[in-house]
């Protein structure tokens, strides 16, 4: 499997991806990253989220993928001006 890891990535409230669904983000296709779970800002966990699950600012994505894809994903969810 190579250099595969599991990370928890915070979605910034000002990220361009906040408010989109997992399907709209195209994380698997664009970055080779699989969303295993969403830890909501209120602390609730949503395991194996469906493609239509909306991800909000302050949520955390628990994702699995190649290290390079995970690093790119972290940059995507950072604060945007």
């Amino acid at each position: 499997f190579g250099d595969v890891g599991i990370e928890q990535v915070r979605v910034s409230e000002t990220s361009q991806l906040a408010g989109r669904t997992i399907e709209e983000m195209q994380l698997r296709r664009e970055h080779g990253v699989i969303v295993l779970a969403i830890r909501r800002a209120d602390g609730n966990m949503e395991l194996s989220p469906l493609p239509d699950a909306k991800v909000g600012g302050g949520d955390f994505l628990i994702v699995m993928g190649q290290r390079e894809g995970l690093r790119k994903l972290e940059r995507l969810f950072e604060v945007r001006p």
Side-chain angles (χ1 to χ4, degrees):
F1 286 98
D3 195 18
V4 175
I6 296 176
E7 297 284 338
Q8 177 174 269
V9 181
R10 184 178 185 277
V11 180
S12 168
E13 287 83 352
T14 58
S15 168
Q16 61 185 349
L17 297 177
R20 294 191 183 179
T21 66
I22 290 175
E23 183 175 32
E24 290 169 338
M25 290 183 207
Q26 296 291 318
L27 300 179
R28 185 178 218 161
R29 188 176 76 189
E30 299 290 327
H31 304 285
V33 173
I34 299 167
V35 179
L36 303 174
I38 302 170
R39 184 166 60 93
R40 300 292 180 185
D42 65 7
N44 288 320
M45 274 297 250
E46 188 176 329
L47 300 174
S48 299
L50 296 173
D52 65 350
K54 192 171 274 194
V55 178
D59 290 347
F60 288 83
L61 297 182
I62 291 76
V63 293
M64 181 176 73
Q66 297 287 328
R67 297 279 179 201
E68 182 179 332
L70 294 172
R71 283 191 295 272
K72 288 179 183 176
L73 186 66
E74 288 174 350
R75 288 191 294 271
L76 270 180
F77 287 116
E78 289 176 350
V79 176
R80 297 286 182 224

